[in-house]
Amino acid sequence: MSVLFDEPGPRARRRIRVATVLGTLAAVALAVLAVRQFAANGQLDAARWQPYATWPMWRYLLTGLWSTFLAAVVSAALSMALGLLLALGRLSDRRWLRLPSAAYVEVVRVIPALLLVYVVLFALPRYGLDLPLFWKLCVPLTVSNAAAFAEIFRAGINSVERGQTEAGLAVGLTRLQTMRLIVLPQAARRVLPSIVSQSVGLLKDTSLGFVVSYGELLYSGKVLAAYNGLLIQTYLVVALVYLVVNASLSKLARTLESRQSVSLRRRAARA
Amino acid sequence: MSVLLDHLPELWQGLIVTFQLTAASFAGAAVLGVVVCALRVSPVRVLRAIGTAYVEAFQNLPLLVLLVLSFFGLPEIGIKAEPLVTAIVVIAVYEAAYVGEALRSGVNSVGKGQGEAARAIGLTFSQSLRHVILPQALRTVVQPLGNIFIATAMNTALAAAVGVVDLTAAANRVNLIEAQPIPIFVGAGVAYALIAAAAGFVTGRLERRLVIIR
């Protein structure tokens, strides 16, 4: 049990039963209310949902989902690489590396991603840099997520005990070798859950394709809704797809985390 | 620079809207977040399941999808409201999932013995919550709540994508008229950075005053 209560006694169990009934009733009432609201506005007609039982609709949406994945994977790879460089820069003992990396991370963290998208959409073309649609989405996502990944990697590198670096240097490895062969592999394993959950955030950010008009899932939904006029149905289906994909990824992050804490505990027990 | 001064009224209006969105939706998220946290730590399984479903749903849906769904979908089933109000409610509902999780981790960080001791000396559930658990839990969540506040301020920019004229949208409009992107977007970026810096300063002060070393 949690910090808040002990094993319930007879009276508490009675209260729990009452709360169970009331909670269930409230949930059911909410669902009934929603369904009635749909029905009252004629949005429950079979004809308005039928299209989403057909393959061409799903093929179109799945193409959108594929583009979402493509944008997410490319931005994730680029922003992880950039983030690693920034983290190493921020931890370096050379000032000219440390200051710009720290400045980048601190500045980008407090700028909304949409503002970066607008910069790429409307500012860069004025200076002769008109990127293809795909990169108009990926560049701002990379720029903003690199800062987040940099902080994750920095936390991971800092969590590796100093003795590891000292031992590496003592056996004659250079600083770079120590980092690459000893510190980074350990750090990467420790921050894996944070990396996965940040990647879920990145996947959520790809919905900015709606603004860029890059054909990812949300923008595909917009096009579809404009074409068939089934606004709420389309956006609900799109939301459901996002929910399923992201919930599975989040589950993966939690699994990784629990596994890791088990293996850490085992190691502690052995020591 | 003169572009910013020429269009100061519009940009200022946008900044006010951003403030309104941030303050109102964070206040809403705080209230709703307490409810979500209470659901998730309650001894009743059904309530716990409702809380978990809420958190899972809103942490895994992109905010922009929720905004688009509410702005273009809900009117179809007869739910209409002012754009600003809709945006505030949607952002509050979305951030409440994060606030709830932050609060829950705070409650879980309080030692189990504290609750047992409170009950052992005869405090009721609400007394032990008010005098023992919450004062300790709230101190550990100052920093996470500050981060959620900053994230909320950044996320309000998404309202611009569905037609609320906040700072981001105002900057974009001014840029379309004047075509001087650098001063305009840098100016908007500085304004957001100042909001975040102010929030960071306040949480830093609060934390130093409240934090307990264990």
Side-chain angles (χ1 to χ4, degrees):
Chain A
M1 283 266 124
S2 90
V3 56
L4 290 173
F5 34 78
D6 296 312
E7 219 32 68
R11 199 151 48 136
R13 246 176 296 177
R14 208 156 44 233
R15 268 195 228 136
I16 286 176
R17 268 201 295 277
V18 172
T20 304
V21 172
L22 287 181
T24 318
L25 281 180
V28 170
L30 210 63
V32 168
L33 206 68
V35 169
R36 274 188 52 184
Q37 198 68 35
F38 270 84
N41 289 279
Q43 297 293 340
L44 225 52
D45 299 349
R48 296 191 78 91
W49 290 92
Q50 188 63 42
Y52 288 99
T54 61
W55 172 238
M57 284 289 195
W58 278 101
R59 193 178 49 204
Y60 185 71
L61 283 180
L62 290 179
T63 319
L65 184 63
W66 173 245
S67 305
T68 291
F69 273 128
L70 213 60
V73 167
V74 169
S75 320
L78 289 176
S79 52
M80 273 183 219
L82 186 57
L84 184 59
L85 289 181
L86 286 167
L88 292 177
R90 210 173 168 180
L91 290 166
S92 137
D93 33 47
R94 295 197 188 94
R95 230 180 133 154
W96 59 270
L97 265 175
R98 203 168 59 225
L99 289 183
S101 316
Y104 178 95
V105 171
E106 294 302 326
V107 167
V108 168
R109 269 171 64 179
V110 296
I111 293 179
L114 184 61
L115 200 62
L116 293 175
V117 169
Y118 279 158
V119 168
V120 172
L121 272 185
F122 302 117
L124 293 189
R126 244 187 85 73
Y127 302 102
L129 194 62
D130 204 355
L131 299 167
L133 271 187
F134 179 73
W135 293 106
K136 276 185 179 163
L137 177 61
C138 284
V139 166
L141 288 187
T142 302
V143 168
S144 73
N145 280 285
F149 279 117
E151 285 303 274
I152 293 175
F153 285 130
R154 189 165 71 107
I157 293 170
N158 277 337
S159 82
V160 177
E161 296 77 7
R162 266 183 70 125
Q164 299 282 330
T165 314
E166 286 163 2
L169 294 177
V171 296
L173 297 179
T174 64
R175 278 202 165 274
L176 212 61
Q177 281 173 323
T178 314
M179 188 52 92
R180 188 164 57 87
L181 297 172
I182 296 178
V183 178
L184 279 185
Q186 301 186 53
R189 217 165 297 156
R190 285 184 202 184
V191 296
L192 199 56
S194 319
I195 289 178
V196 176
S197 62
Q198 182 63 33
S199 305
V200 173
L202 200 155
L203 196 86
K204 284 162 74 179
D205 285 347
T206 57
S207 58
L208 283 169
F210 182 78
V211 181
V212 184
S213 7
Y214 166 70
E216 47 73 59
L217 185 53
L218 183 58
Y219 185 72
S220 304
K222 182 188 183 182
V223 172
L224 212 53
Y227 165 71
N228 61 17
L230 306 173
L231 288 169
I232 194 159
Q233 290 84 356
T234 310
Y235 288 130
L236 276 179
V237 170
V238 166
L240 198 67
V241 176
Y242 272 113
L243 193 59
V244 169
V245 171
N246 287 333
S248 329
L249 279 174
S250 304
K251 182 92 178 48
L252 175 70
R254 273 198 301 277
T255 315
L256 287 173
E257 200 156 19
S258 64
R259 255 206 200 162
Q260 204 155 50
S261 60
V262 167
S263 77
L264 279 181
R265 238 179 289 136
R266 244 184 240 147
R267 204 177 305 162
R270 229 181 287 144
Chain B
M1 266 326 268
S2 68
V3 202
L4 289 181
L5 294 179
D6 289 347
H7 293 274
L8 206 55
E10 293 109 294
L11 292 171
W12 180 248
Q13 186 55 41
L15 186 63
I16 299 276
V17 172
T18 290
F19 276 140
Q20 285 173 336
L21 281 170
T22 309
S25 54
F26 188 74
V31 175
L32 209 52
V34 172
V35 176
V36 171
C37 169
L39 286 176
R40 287 212 72 179
V41 301
S42 97
V44 185
R45 188 179 296 151
V46 176
L47 298 184
R48 264 204 314 270
I50 294 173
T52 309
Y54 185 97
V55 170
E56 280 291 309
F58 289 107
Q59 284 198 340
N60 286 318
L61 279 172
L63 178 56
L64 189 54
V65 171
L66 290 172
L67 283 169
V68 168
L69 182 62
S70 319
F71 270 76
F72 306 118
L74 288 189
E76 295 279 293
I77 58 166
I79 300 174
K80 287 186 197 119
E82 291 271 302
L84 190 65
V85 176
T86 314
I88 288 172
V89 171
V90 173
I91 298 173
V93 165
Y94 174 83
E95 297 289 346
Y98 291 89
V99 172
E101 281 303 89
L103 293 177
R104 190 172 71 106
S105 77
V107 168
N108 285 341
S109 77
V110 177
K112 216 174 159 180
Q114 299 280 333
E116 286 167 359
R119 284 191 293 277
I121 59 170
L123 297 185
T124 64
F125 177 76
S126 60
Q127 278 175 331
S128 65
L129 204 60
R130 194 152 54 92
H131 296 298
V132 180
I133 314 266
L134 279 187
Q136 300 183 54
L138 286 178
R139 277 167 213 201
T140 60
V141 295
V142 171
Q143 194 64 42
L145 283 183
N147 288 340
I148 292 172
F149 181 84
I150 294 175
T152 309
M154 301 301 111
N155 278 334
T156 59
L158 285 177
V162 286
V164 177
V165 188
D166 71 334
L167 181 58
T168 302
N172 192 29
R173 284 186 178 189
V174 172
N175 176 49
L176 289 182
I177 299 168
E178 295 285 341
Q180 290 191 35
I182 290 204
I184 295 166
F185 285 127
V186 168
V190 167
Y192 278 108
L194 286 180
I195 295 176
F201 179 75
V202 171
T203 47
R205 287 294 291 271
L206 269 180
E207 187 166 54
R208 224 169 309 144
R209 190 170 285 188
L210 294 176
V211 88
I212 24 175
I213 293 110
R214 269 200 279 266

